[in-house]
Amino acid sequence: MPIPDFQSAMLPVLRLTQDGKDHTLGEAVEAIAVEFKATEAERNELLPSGRQRRIHNRVGWAKTYLQKAGLVEANGRGRFRITPRGKQVLQGKPTRIDMKFLEQFPEYNAFAALKHDAPDAPSSAPELSVSNETPEEVLDESYQELRRRLAEELLERIKACDPRFFEKLVVDLLVTMGYGGSRKDAGQAVGQSGDEGIDGIIKEDRLGLDVVYIQAKRWNNTVGRPVVQAFAGSLEGQRARKGVLITTSDFSREARDYVKHIEKKIVLIDGGELAKLMIDSGVGVTEVATYTVKKLDLDYFGDEE
């Protein structure tokens, strides 16, 4: 029996979690391989990029869509488990779970609508066999989908780490982005930051002509104006003019409006922006494949555009 497509893998993946325990993607891949009697060659078949096994890729997408529909939930450190909704679905003894089946759940529909309506909307599913888009559009949308999935995985992992690691991560990111000079200098600054609502101090440039004060909050709840206002007060106590407040969650509209109307320069970075900056700066991620898209060189052939 050939490797199942990602939709055919959804029900088997959900059944794996019916014991209520935490499971890893590797366990799900093994369960699918056993259920579909995959041969050794099929287990090791790679995607065209040569960087990932096809069965691992498809089972990963199956888990992602189940999670978007609220049938399974992430539990930190790359693990996932069934939800009450997932148990209810299995009690109905479905013969198949696919994207059409998942449309009964509002969270999945909101996710699907976001993918189509957002300015950087990703593709509706991996390995689509029918598409009205050009290959360039499909490639770009697939890239955005992978970025968004990676961003979500980054935030899940960060939230599972301890607060001290998060503070270190923030400094690593800012240094990689060009602030603070060396990691050693930045580390010394963090150690001298004190306890007045400031988690770290980093040089704005390599010469240290100005400094930026940092506060890092590994939160799940929305950060409101009182927290941002307290951070601004901490800057005042340090006679500082610039600050960066980073969270793994989000900021309320009142908090964002507040920083627009104060003299001090405070940059708010929410979880989504944090993940994007980490991906772009290569912090906490590693490159698995590079694709170069080329077009005909009309100048070489003496043609005009």
Side-chain angles (χ1 to χ4, degrees):
M1 185 179 296
I3 299 173
D5 60 77
F6 79 100
Q7 295 191 74
S8 298
M10 289 181 184
L11 181 56
V13 170
L14 186 60
R15 284 175 177 160
L16 171 68
T17 66
Q18 63 186 340
D19 59 5
K21 298 179 181 179
D22 291 349
H23 292 276
T24 65
L25 183 59
E27 292 172 352
V29 170
E30 179 61 23
I32 296 299
V34 171
E35 178 168 343
F36 287 85
K37 299 180 175 58
T39 65
E40 191 67 22
E42 289 170 338
R43 286 170 176 255
N44 295 320
E45 181 183 353
L46 299 176
L47 293 173
S49 65
R51 301 293 183 130
Q52 187 181 31
R53 289 183 295 156
R54 187 178 298 278
I55 188 171
H56 194 282
N57 178 267
R58 290 181 176 178
V59 174
W61 279 111
K63 191 270 289 186
T64 293
Y65 276 80
L66 291 173
Q67 185 172 332
K68 294 302 180 183
L71 305 188
V72 300
E73 62 183 2
N75 194 29
R77 299 290 181 179
R79 297 179 177 271
F80 64 97
R81 61 190 174 194
I82 197 168
T83 65
R85 177 183 288 175
K87 294 179 180 179
Q88 185 177 9
V89 166
L90 288 181
Q91 288 173 358
K93 300 186 184 303
T95 58
R96 177 178 170 83
I97 296 179
D98 52 23
M99 290 192 293
K100 185 66 177 178
F101 181 92
L102 298 180
E103 289 177 0
Q104 64 185 287
F105 304 114
E107 294 88 344
Y108 174 79
N109 289 325
F111 165 69
L114 177 64
K115 287 171 29 172
H116 286 293
D117 297 339
D120 56 348
S123 61
S124 57
E127 299 187 357
L128 285 175
S129 59
V130 179
S131 176
N132 293 323
E133 299 170 307
T134 67
E136 290 86 355
E137 290 170 334
V138 171
L139 179 62
D140 182 65
E141 291 177 0
S142 298
Y143 171 73
Q144 295 299 334
E145 173 76 10
L146 291 171
R147 274 182 62 96
R148 190 154 65 93
R149 186 182 181 198
L150 175 58
E152 292 175 351
E153 292 175 348
L154 274 173
L155 287 178
E156 288 178 8
R157 181 56 60 92
I158 293 171
K159 290 176 181 179
C161 298
D162 62 76
R164 292 298 301 171
F165 179 86
F166 180 50
E167 293 174 8
K168 173 184 176 297
L169 182 155
V170 166
V171 175
D172 285 341
L173 175 60
L174 293 176
V175 169
T176 303
M177 292 173 63
Y179 297 93
S182 69
R183 181 63 180 81
K184 179 180 178 181
D185 292 340
Q188 291 175 341
V190 172
Q192 301 167 358
S193 59
D195 59 357
E196 299 180 5
I198 306 294
D199 292 327
I201 305 171
I202 197 166
K203 297 175 183 177
E204 185 177 22
D205 54 64
R206 294 181 180 274
L207 297 178
L209 297 176
D210 203 351
V211 295
V212 177
Y213 286 75
I214 308 166
Q215 189 174 89
K217 291 196 172 296
R218 189 178 57 86
W219 282 14
N220 290 318
N221 298 327
T222 299
V223 178
R225 171 172 171 164
V227 174
V228 179
Q229 195 165 349
F231 180 54
S234 299
L235 295 182
E236 184 67 33
Q238 299 287 337
R239 294 184 179 180
R241 299 182 297 110
K242 300 175 182 178
V244 178
L245 204 166
I246 302 178
T247 182
T248 52
S249 59
D250 196 4
F251 295 95
S252 68
R253 185 177 63 181
E254 292 77 12
R256 294 184 184 278
D257 289 341
Y258 172 73
V259 298
K260 295 177 182 178
H261 298 94
I262 60 176
E263 182 179 357
K264 298 186 183 305
K265 181 63 176 179
I266 296 180
V267 176
L268 304 180
I269 299 178
D270 61 21
E273 182 64 22
L274 170 63
K276 290 179 182 178
L277 290 173
M278 290 179 64
I279 294 172
D280 292 339
S281 301
V283 175
V285 298
T286 185
E287 184 177 297
V288 295
T290 300
Y291 299 93
T292 301
V293 179
K294 300 183 179 182
K295 67 175 183 178
L296 191 66
D297 185 350
L298 299 179
D299 291 336
Y300 178 83
F301 292 98
D303 295 341
E304 296 181 358
E305 293 276 359

